[in-house]
Amino acid sequence: MDIYRSAVRPILFSGLKADPEFLHHQTLETLSWLDRHRLTPPANWILARFQQSCCLQDPRLEQTLWGVRFPNPVGLAAGFDKDGAAASIWPNFGFGFAELGTVTEHPQPGNPRPRLFRLPLDSAVLNRMGFNNQGAAALAAKLSSVRGSAEAAIPTGINLGKSKVTPLEEAPADYLASFQLLKDLGDYFAVNVSSPNTPGLRSLQDASQLAGILDALQQENQGLKPILVKIAPDLEWEAIAQVIEVAQTYRLAGIIATNTTISREGLKTDIIQKTGNSVKEEAGGISGAPLRQRSTEVIRFIWQKTQGKLAIIGSGGIFTADDAWEKIAAGASVVQVYTGLVYEGPWMVRRLLEGLLQKLEERGLGSISEAVGIDAMNV
């Protein structure tokens, strides 16, 4: 029995009716405490129990992307651990990689509260956090202090965003400043130009704007670290094709598909209880189940356009092994979870991995890399 789904979630969601952001903050505080005391009881005992129950190792799940070994294809998406509070803890929960951030050059508080809402009827989350984080220098200090401390290290991605105080025309310098501080501490970097919660940010997905950012980063990078771009699900196909072209021109390592959506189509939720407003009137991006189909369609489109030559990290609406498999079969080399973790709890990753192994056996495949794009070929 999964105690989170049967007991903890009903209490948190319905019983306490606590603010989702407060609960998220408390979760990270607890994980940070476990991290700081990992060598002493009871923290070491707790972490050992999580590792025993959440982790699953199998060589069929391993992949190497950009020269980086991923022990399994299920990662933590950006936004969950913006400041690396639990950076060395995520391996204990079975993740194959973790993407930290979004981090900006300048520390910033984010948007006014309330800014995070659960939509249980839709298995979704509405957020308008606004890149609240302590800044790139603070994340660099944190990662430097914990480097090499994890018992079973996993790849660390770092998601870079634009500071709200930085004008759009100065965005390249802003992204570059963060990258310079963090370039030695991440295994890959994601350029986030697709959050709907920073004014004007999504305009940076325009080919000419994006080119300026990528040019600045790649001149500094000199091919040393994999750089990806994270795109919105709401882009038209022509705009996605232009992003692909820019990504290929600047030799990006891949694309993360996708960020949250500004669409409210098909939602069962009508009113946000916390504010009393219609969900259609509330600003922010929707993540979770409503995003599942569209993100998979975008993944398939990118895979087909690039003939599978550009790596894709799939994100959006993954709750079950079927969801994860769908994205991998559409062309994602690895996938990320966030909202699914909120609803399904810490044992979710193991269930996904067990299900993926079963899918491999059913299809007669020897490794997860053989499954990448397997269904996109036949469309």
Side-chain angles (χ1 to χ4, degrees):
M1 182 180 71
D2 186 329
I3 191 172
Y4 180 86
R5 293 193 294 181
S6 62
V8 176
R9 185 177 68 189
I11 293 172
L12 295 180
F13 281 31
S14 304
L16 294 177
K17 295 185 178 179
D19 176 62
E21 185 175 350
F22 170 78
L23 292 176
H24 188 94
H25 176 75
Q26 292 304 115
T27 298
L28 286 176
E29 283 288 306
T30 302
L31 293 176
S32 180
W33 181 88
L34 288 171
D35 186 13
R36 294 194 306 272
H37 298 86
R38 62 184 306 126
L39 299 179
T40 61
N44 58 359
W45 182 89
I46 294 171
L47 288 173
R49 299 290 77 76
F50 272 118
Q51 185 159 355
Q52 185 179 34
S53 60
C54 296
C55 295
L56 175 62
Q57 294 183 335
D58 191 297
R60 292 172 292 175
L61 296 172
E62 296 178 9
Q63 286 181 92
T64 297
L65 300 172
W66 326 299
V68 179
R69 176 186 169 272
F70 289 72
N72 73 61
V74 178
L76 180 75
F80 202 99
D81 189 1
K82 295 175 186 286
D83 296 308
S88 61
I89 290 289
W90 299 119
N92 294 82
F93 291 93
F95 286 104
F97 64 105
E99 189 171 312
L100 307 177
T102 298
V103 64
T104 55
E105 178 191 1
H106 303 288
Q108 55 187 43
N111 292 323
R113 302 186 187 194
R115 53 192 184 182
L116 185 65
F117 311 90
R118 287 189 296 262
L119 282 59
L121 291 177
D122 297 288
S123 296
V125 166
L126 167 62
N127 102 79
R128 51 170 177 261
M129 302 298 286
F131 291 168
N132 56 307
N133 74 104
Q134 296 172 13
L139 180 59
K142 170 65 177 178
L143 293 180
S144 296
S145 70
V146 301
R147 202 171 191 184
S149 65
E151 295 175 10
I154 56 174
T156 297
I158 299 177
N159 189 291
L160 306 176
K162 184 190 77 68
S163 306
K164 188 175 181 178
V165 298
T166 300
L168 288 172
E169 61 270 19
E170 296 176 19
D174 191 90
Y175 282 94
L176 178 60
S178 294
F179 180 66
Q180 288 172 328
L181 287 167
L182 292 159
K183 64 180 180 179
D184 295 328
L185 299 166
D187 293 295
Y188 74 85
F189 289 82
V191 179
N192 188 346
V193 288
S194 51
S195 169
N197 302 318
T198 295
L201 187 78
R202 285 191 167 194
S203 69
L204 297 178
Q205 292 175 113
D206 178 76
S208 60
Q209 299 260 49
L210 182 59
I213 296 168
L214 299 181
D215 182 59
L217 291 176
Q218 290 291 44
Q219 284 196 45
E220 173 73 21
N221 184 38
Q222 294 296 308
L224 294 178
K225 290 294 175 77
I227 296 178
L228 298 86
V229 63
K230 186 170 187 176
I231 64 171
D234 309 303
L235 291 176
E236 300 291 341
W237 296 122
E238 183 180 348
I240 297 174
Q242 290 175 352
V243 171
I244 292 171
E245 187 175 335
V246 172
Q248 292 172 325
T249 299
Y250 287 93
R251 299 183 179 180
L252 293 195
I255 294 177
I256 302 177
T258 61
N259 212 318
T260 58
T261 179
I262 57 174
S263 171
R264 302 294 188 263
E265 186 178 348
L267 292 180
K268 298 174 184 175
T269 302
D270 183 26
I271 301 295
I272 301 294
Q273 290 185 346
K274 183 78 173 179
T275 65
N277 297 327
S278 166
V279 68
K280 295 179 181 179
E281 298 172 4
E282 293 286 0
I286 298 284
S287 61
L291 188 58
R292 180 184 300 137
Q293 181 178 346
R294 176 60 181 175
S295 63
T296 301
E297 291 172 353
V298 173
I299 290 166
R300 185 180 296 111
F301 178 83
I302 296 169
W303 193 92
Q304 291 174 340
K305 278 285 184 182
T306 62
Q307 298 181 317
K309 294 178 181 177
L310 192 64
I312 303 167
I313 297 180
S315 182
I318 297 173
F319 287 71
T320 68
D322 286 342
D323 301 333
W325 178 264
E326 183 181 68
K327 283 181 167 41
I328 291 169
S333 293
V334 294
V335 297
Q336 295 176 326
V337 298
Y338 182 146
T339 304
L341 186 64
V342 173
Y343 281 87
E344 298 296 309
W347 290 277
M348 173 196 189
V349 177
R350 187 182 182 106
R351 287 194 296 271
L352 293 183
L353 298 177
E354 289 173 343
L356 288 176
L357 287 172
Q358 184 177 341
K359 296 282 187 183
L360 290 177
E361 292 175 1
E362 290 171 357
R363 300 288 285 264
L365 302 175
S367 70
I368 199 70
S369 59
E370 294 176 24
V372 176
I374 194 170
D375 289 346
M377 303 176 188
N378 305 316
V379 176

